[in-house]
Amino acid sequence: MTSRTAAATARATVYGYPRQGRNRELKKAVEGYWKGRVDADTLRATAAELRRSNWQELAGAGLTEVPTGDFSFYDHVLDTSVMLGAIPERHRAAVDADRLDGYFAMARGTQDVAPLEMTKWFDTNYHYLVPELGPSTVFTADSTRQVAELEEALALGLTARPVLVGPVTYLLLSKPAPGVAADFDPLTLLDRLLPVYAEVLADLRAAGAGWVQLDEPALVQDRSPAELNAAERAYRDLGALTDRPQLLVASYFDRLGEALPVLAKAPVEGLALDFTGAGALNLDALAAVGGLPGKRLVAGVVNGRNIWINDLEKSLATLGTLLGLADRVDVAASCSLLHVPLDAGLERDIDPQVLRWLAFAKQKTAEIVTLAKGLALGTDTIAAELAANRADLASRAHSALTHDPAVRDRAAAVSEGDARRSQSYAERAVAQRAHLGLPRLPTTTIGSFPQTGELRTARADLRAGRIDTAGYEERIRSEIREVVSFQEKTGIDVLVHGEPERNDMVQYFAEQLSGYLATRHGWVQSYGTRYVRPPVLAGDISRPEPMTVRWTSYAQSLSDRPVKGMLTGPVTMLAWSFVRDDQPLADTARQVALALRDEVDDLEAQGTSVIQVDEPALRETLPLRAADHPAYLAWATQAFRLSTSGVRPDTQIHTHMCYAEFGDIVQAIDDLDADVISLEAARSHMQVARELAAHGYPREAGPGVYDIHSPRVPSAKEAAALLRKGLEAIPAERLWVNPDCGLKTRGWPETRASLENLVAAARTVRAELGSSAS
């Protein structure tokens, strides 16, 4: 096929779309089901209507092929485990008794059965449920849901393409099941798994699928020869099947690297590649392997992870180059649009000119359609769109919002010494122990306490003018009094104020920093029914006035025990925002760090002796390729230290991280030079404690003993057992006792019971250690 013919046949498509609905209908329906207010039939009907609405919106926008199978009640990786029959033994009875309740039990756990472990989906802020596999795992195909959703779309008269997690990525994301040797490699199950995929593919073909997309994002990471060989075998075998649809193997989030020639030679009909960010390197790599003669290329030229408008002319140039490298070139986003909000057109509080810089899922879909039209019919057919796009890009480039000389001058003057504490950790530890007077195994929480309905109502009443600021602030003070009183009565050693005034750990600060924009409808899924509204980091960052000092000081006035100041660190402020893409991330991080440094200094000046600067996103933002790690970790750890290094030696700096694999960044954790770190560890059975010990981590640490992402209440016995496991790796004088994460999403009854058990566990283990502390 000539490049002209390839252009004429260009289609527009996406790999996935936001699941939640315009008004987060899915969240409300699922949580209603959990609480018994919504029955299973109503929940399923709500889901079907959301799928129908999404497909019709995409088709109406001009997509010629819509995805199916991207929708999920909780998580698409969990859906894959169900499709493959990979149900953990402890959950099998529940799944057999009621498939929907059993599904949610795997995600959330029950009082008696622990859920699957949850961790970050590559370098995004989406969380998936980790499959548990072992030598005895038996895979069985169950394509019921995948076939049903395909049939729903076909019944609407649409061309539909089922999207599945590919077999290699599924195994590479899995972990050994409990009781299985830690060195078990799930990839050894590939030959057992492929016939099950073959059965699912045959079912989808019989249901009317012309194409099926198999997502293999794990192949953009550094892969061993054995792993690349597994990918070659997987797609050799699947490609050789006779009873199957055409196969589109998709990768995203980075360049394919060594896996590109493997997939290019595979007997499949198409590849989908990311051509944004680091994925832009796929262009030269594709040319180097001779392109994809006789195959379909789906070109991800619209960034599916940020919310900035596309440079249409630049993307058209990329697409033009690709025309000579494949039999057919289609246009798509770089990845599923799950990672961006639904519709920028819903925003009413953002300046109209600035709003023109933003593209959410609906706007990105329109960009994809425009690019496909321009590619197929010529740029004259999209001349008006190109002119408007040029004007909007120029407006952003020359805006005063994106250039503040005072901020830039201060950042340029930072020296390496500004990012170093005045004394070593060993010296600081002596001063802090004398100043704080804490017992062995000190107890604390991560920061937030339950955000009750009353708090959310008070916040809504303030926005609506039903109460004034004084009334709202009295409600906040009342909540802080309750939180502090509960912690004192329970026996927690280092208190928090509970963060009742905060809507979100990033948005709260973003709303008080110059250079950030807030949205009203910019919801994206973090996990399950947890949705967040990432703020938009649009310009240069500064702090006009203190952000947290008043509420922290008020909480401290209520107790003689230390109350932690609670801040969100610079890397997380970037990672959990839609961050500007017009300057290096390191420059933006330095601006945020300086704003936070001012806040840290003000907290200390007002008498706060323990200050926690959370960096849960440090690991998730780690580039997917090892060659890119050093540069990222250098600026990320420096930004944290810049935020925290202006304090006295006896002021204790904490940090917190959760729900990621930490083994490969232990040195970076060490380089943060925080006095205390708390980490998620309950679901992974203290794995991170062992990783810290193996590294020789010299500071204090609190591996979590309470999994806050499950409604179950851990017993004191269970928490004590985890604490003893932690002591096998970390000595008692450096071990803290805390939950995995903040308690914002939990209810008060389970929070009270769980923290009471946590304190009881600490007292039990202290007694076993022969400590006189109580």
Side-chain angles (χ1 to χ4, degrees):
M1 180 179 288
T2 66
S3 61
R4 182 181 298 277
T5 306
T9 61
R11 299 181 184 180
T13 190
V14 296
Y15 309 155
Y17 208 63
R19 302 162 178 164
Q20 68 266 28
R22 187 180 180 95
N23 296 303
R24 290 183 294 158
E25 292 89 345
L26 182 62
K27 170 185 173 68
K28 296 168 186 175
V30 171
E31 292 181 349
Y33 178 76
W34 293 342
K35 295 174 182 176
R37 297 197 298 259
V38 171
D39 63 26
D41 288 342
T42 302
L43 174 60
R44 292 188 179 100
T46 299
E49 174 57 27
L50 289 171
R51 290 192 294 271
R52 183 196 63 79
S53 177
N54 277 356
W55 291 328
Q56 291 185 330
E57 179 175 308
L58 290 170
L63 291 196
T64 47
E65 187 180 52
V66 300
T68 67
D70 61 308
F71 182 88
S72 179
F73 281 126
Y74 202 96
D75 168 49
H76 59 278
V77 180
L78 177 60
D79 296 343
T80 306
S81 293
V82 173
M83 180 187 79
L84 301 174
I87 310 299
E89 192 59 38
R90 66 185 182 279
H91 287 289
R92 189 165 295 280
V95 171
D96 290 343
D98 186 295
R99 291 181 63 81
L100 188 58
D101 287 346
Y103 173 89
F104 286 129
M106 287 189 286
R108 305 174 70 229
T110 66
Q111 184 55 42
D112 300 319
V113 182
L116 294 171
E117 182 179 341
M118 185 164 61
T119 195
K120 299 295 176 70
W121 176 249
F122 297 93
D123 58 348
T124 75
N125 190 36
Y126 178 80
H127 303 66
Y128 74 95
L129 290 156
V130 182
E132 296 176 357
L133 306 176
S136 62
T137 297
V138 176
F139 297 111
T140 55
D142 180 1
S143 61
T144 305
R145 188 185 70 83
Q146 288 72 24
V147 167
E149 292 182 12
L150 171 63
E151 291 175 339
E152 288 176 19
L154 295 177
L156 295 171
L158 304 175
T159 300
R161 182 186 71 253
V163 178
L164 309 176
V165 176
V168 179
T169 289
Y170 180 78
L171 293 176
L172 289 172
L173 294 182
S174 300
K175 64 175 290 185
V180 172
D183 61 354
F184 171 74
D185 182 3
L187 199 58
T188 60
L189 301 176
L190 180 64
D191 291 337
R192 196 182 305 177
L193 180 63
L194 290 177
V196 180
Y197 268 87
E199 188 174 342
V200 171
L201 291 172
D203 291 345
L204 290 169
R205 180 174 184 263
W211 285 85
V212 167
Q213 177 176 320
L214 293 167
D215 283 358
E216 294 287 6
L219 295 180
V220 306
Q221 297 172 298
D222 298 311
R223 290 298 166 200
S224 68
E227 291 165 339
L228 293 171
N229 179 63
E232 187 277 328
R233 287 192 298 113
Y235 287 99
R236 178 197 66 201
D237 292 357
L238 293 178
L241 297 171
T242 56
D243 186 12
R244 66 167 178 83
Q246 296 186 92
L247 299 181
L248 176 70
V249 182
S251 67
Y252 38 82
F253 299 147
D254 211 310
R255 62 223 187 247
L256 261 178
E258 305 88 345
L260 179 56
V262 173
L263 294 181
K265 291 185 294 185
V268 298
E269 289 72 27
L271 293 186
L273 302 179
D274 183 351
F275 292 98
T276 68
L281 295 173
N282 278 326
L283 182 60
D284 289 341
L286 189 60
V289 299
L292 301 174
K295 294 186 178 183
R296 175 188 185 187
L297 171 64
V298 179
V301 293
V302 172
N303 195 314
R305 294 181 56 180
N306 72 23
I307 46 75
W308 304 106
I309 57 172
N310 185 263
D311 184 332
L312 296 180
E313 291 180 325
K314 181 178 179 181
S315 292
L316 282 169
T318 298
L319 291 166
T321 303
L322 292 171
L323 286 177
L325 297 176
D327 188 57
R328 173 175 131 199
V329 177
D330 293 336
V331 185
S334 61
C335 61
S336 171
L337 296 177
L338 170 72
H339 305 290
V340 296
L342 187 58
D343 182 7
L346 299 175
E347 300 301 329
R348 297 291 182 265
D349 298 334
I350 296 176
D351 179 271
Q353 182 57 57
V354 175
L355 194 60
R356 292 185 62 83
W357 307 345
L358 307 183
F360 294 177
K362 183 175 181 178
Q363 289 72 37
K364 287 181 182 295
T365 301
E367 291 178 334
I368 292 165
V369 171
T370 296
L371 289 166
K373 180 180 178 181
L375 186 64
L377 302 177
T379 56
D380 289 349
T381 64
I382 58 169
E385 291 92 334
L386 291 175
N389 181 247
R390 281 193 296 270
D392 293 337
L393 291 170
S395 166
R396 183 183 174 206
H398 299 104
S399 170
L401 177 66
T402 59
H403 295 86
D404 183 329
V407 172
R408 290 175 176 256
D409 289 346
R410 185 184 181 195
V414 169
S415 68
E416 179 59 31
D418 293 327
R420 294 291 177 190
R421 297 285 294 270
S422 61
Q423 292 187 0
S424 69
Y425 166 72
E427 295 170 306
R428 301 195 308 261
V430 173
Q432 291 162 16
R433 287 168 186 157
H435 180 54
L436 296 172
L438 299 174
R440 296 174 90 182
L441 307 181
T443 54
T444 190
T445 64
I446 303 305
S448 62
F449 265 66
Q451 285 271 322
T452 63
E454 291 83 357
L455 279 173
R456 288 190 290 270
T457 297
R459 200 171 289 128
D461 287 345
L462 177 65
R463 287 196 301 267
R466 290 186 290 268
I467 60 174
D468 60 14
T469 301
Y472 173 73
E473 292 186 349
E474 178 49 41
R475 180 69 190 86
I476 297 300
R477 280 190 289 270
S478 174
E479 186 71 17
I480 291 173
R481 289 193 296 269
E482 181 178 351
V483 167
V484 170
S485 175
F486 164 74
Q487 292 174 93
E488 285 196 314
K489 290 176 182 176
T490 303
I492 292 174
D493 300 304
V494 175
L495 314 185
V496 297
H497 78 288
E499 304 176 11
E501 79 286 5
R502 302 186 189 184
N503 46 9
D504 177 84
M505 66 180 291
V506 172
Q507 185 179 351
Y508 176 78
F509 293 98
E511 290 174 347
Q512 301 182 74
L513 292 170
S514 299
Y516 266 102
L517 307 174
T519 69
R520 284 192 177 272
H521 303 281
W523 298 101
V524 293
Q525 186 180 21
S526 178
Y527 63 88
T529 61
R530 170 73 169 143
Y531 290 83
V532 295
R533 277 186 301 159
V536 178
L537 198 165
D540 287 339
I541 300 298
S542 60
R543 187 199 70 148
E545 60 186 14
M547 301 178 287
T548 67
V549 173
R550 180 168 58 129
W551 296 121
T552 304
S553 298
Y554 175 68
Q556 186 62 78
S557 73
L558 303 173
S559 178
D560 292 332
R561 300 183 186 190
V563 175
K564 283 194 287 190
M566 301 298 307
L567 306 175
T568 301
V571 176
T572 301
M573 288 295 296
L574 269 60
W576 292 1
S577 302
F578 289 116
V579 68
R580 62 191 301 181
D581 61 353
D582 58 344
Q583 69 179 17
L585 285 174
D587 294 353
T588 307
R590 179 171 291 192
Q591 292 180 3
V592 176
L594 288 169
L596 293 173
R597 184 184 181 101
D598 293 342
E599 188 72 12
V600 168
D601 292 349
D602 284 349
L603 281 167
E604 183 186 60
Q606 291 296 315
T608 304
S609 298
V610 181
I611 301 171
Q612 182 169 308
V613 181
D614 290 344
E615 282 292 21
L618 182 70
R619 173 60 181 83
E620 80 181 46
T621 314
L622 188 72
L624 297 177
R625 292 279 179 176
D628 302 327
H629 292 182
Y632 160 73
L633 291 172
W635 67 253
T637 55
Q638 184 196 52
F640 180 89
R641 295 194 308 271
L642 183 59
S643 302
T644 57
S645 291
V647 297
R648 300 187 309 268
D650 63 354
T651 295
Q652 191 172 70
I653 296 295
H654 288 224
T655 191
H656 168 67
M657 298 180 190
C658 57
Y659 293 91
E661 300 295 334
F662 299 109
D664 50 359
I665 62 161
V666 174
Q667 181 58 55
I669 292 173
D670 198 348
D671 291 342
L672 295 176
D673 198 24
D675 300 304
V676 182
I677 184 168
S678 55
L679 300 123
E680 176 273 328
R683 289 196 187 187
S684 61
H685 308 287
M686 290 287 160
Q687 176 180 334
V688 71
R690 296 187 291 274
E691 291 169 344
L692 291 175
H695 173 76
Y697 185 74
R699 300 173 187 82
E700 299 174 42
V705 297
Y706 163 25
D707 173 17
I708 67 89
H709 287 290
S710 171
R712 66 185 297 271
V713 175
S715 67
K717 181 178 179 181
E718 179 183 342
L722 281 173
L723 193 50
R724 294 185 194 100
K725 192 177 289 286
L727 282 167
E728 293 173 4
I730 300 170
E733 61 270 16
R734 292 197 282 111
L735 186 66
W736 283 65
V737 186
N738 46 260
D740 276 343
C741 201
L743 301 165
K744 175 182 178 179
T745 61
R746 299 271 54 92
W748 261 109
E750 69 216 55
T751 294
R752 287 191 182 95
S754 297
L755 292 180
E756 287 166 356
N757 289 347
L758 181 149
V759 172
R763 287 172 173 164
T764 295
V765 177
R766 283 176 193 160
E768 293 170 358
L769 293 171
S771 172
S772 59
S774 60

